[in-house]
Amino acid sequence: MSVFLDVSGSMDETMQKAVDNISVITQFNNGISTFIGWDDHLKFEHYNVNNKKLHDILNSVSGGCTDLLDGFEYFVKKSPPQDILVIISDLQTDNWKRCEELLNNTAKIRTVIIGLPEYYNRCCHDLLKVILVPLK
């Protein structure tokens, strides 16, 4: 399983929920094979992440603005082809239509799960074959 974490400023309030949810993910399949943090550029990239490494990585993360398209493209390219793709993001980005197209095309051939915080881009309900999960 590979995880993309939106670390932009709009995710600040949700970061603890995201960390808790990712922490649960690390307990399955021997952790996270690819873990990418992105706001408007790559913030971190790690491989074979277990729970302890996860908390070490996220202790020093602070985000800025958001531009997710390049991040999603990078994430899909870097993740092993057999991995489930987990995206934790509010999907607040200026280039939503292009992101939607990329996510829909990716979900045709791979499993894509998006963890959504309380405040998120409502347009994501138009995604086809993408599994949307509220962060609790």
Side-chain angles (χ1 to χ4, degrees):
M1 159 173 329
S2 291
V3 176
F4 175 98
L5 178 62
D6 175 352
V7 295
S8 64
S10 64
M11 289 288 290
D12 282 348
E13 292 178 22
T14 310
M15 197 57 68
Q16 187 56 50
K17 284 182 185 175
V19 171
D20 292 343
N21 282 269
I22 296 170
S23 186
V24 170
I25 291 170
T26 62
Q27 298 171 20
F28 301 98
N29 282 342
N30 298 318
I32 299 169
S33 60
T34 305
F35 184 38
I36 291 176
W38 195 279
D39 55 11
D40 65 342
H41 65 281
L42 181 66
K43 295 292 259 192
F44 60 79
E45 179 174 353
H46 297 278
Y47 297 92
N48 302 315
V49 177
N50 61 25
N51 196 31
K52 181 187 178 329
K53 189 173 179 182
L54 169 74
H55 287 284
D56 292 343
I57 294 166
L58 295 179
N59 272 339
S60 61
V61 173
S62 61
C65 54
T66 312
D67 185 356
L68 297 175
L69 181 62
D70 290 342
F72 290 160
E73 289 173 341
Y74 185 82
F75 177 59
V76 170
K77 183 176 86 175
K78 287 294 200 165
S79 299
Q82 72 279 6
D83 272 14
I84 293 171
L85 303 179
V86 177
I87 297 169
I88 298 180
S89 174
D90 58 11
L91 303 174
Q92 300 294 340
T93 186
D94 289 337
N95 47 20
W96 171 247
K97 280 297 187 194
R98 291 179 55 209
C99 289
E100 180 180 31
E101 182 180 336
L102 174 68
L103 292 170
N104 278 329
N105 288 337
T106 302
K108 289 177 184 175
I109 56 174
R110 299 180 72 176
T111 300
V112 179
I113 301 169
I114 301 178
L116 296 167
E118 184 177 345
Y119 302 100
Y120 62 90
N121 179 348
R122 301 288 185 223
C123 293
C124 69
H125 291 288
D126 295 335
L127 290 169
L128 309 172
K129 297 188 179 199
V130 173
I131 301 163
L132 302 176
V133 179
L135 296 176
K136 301 209 179 221

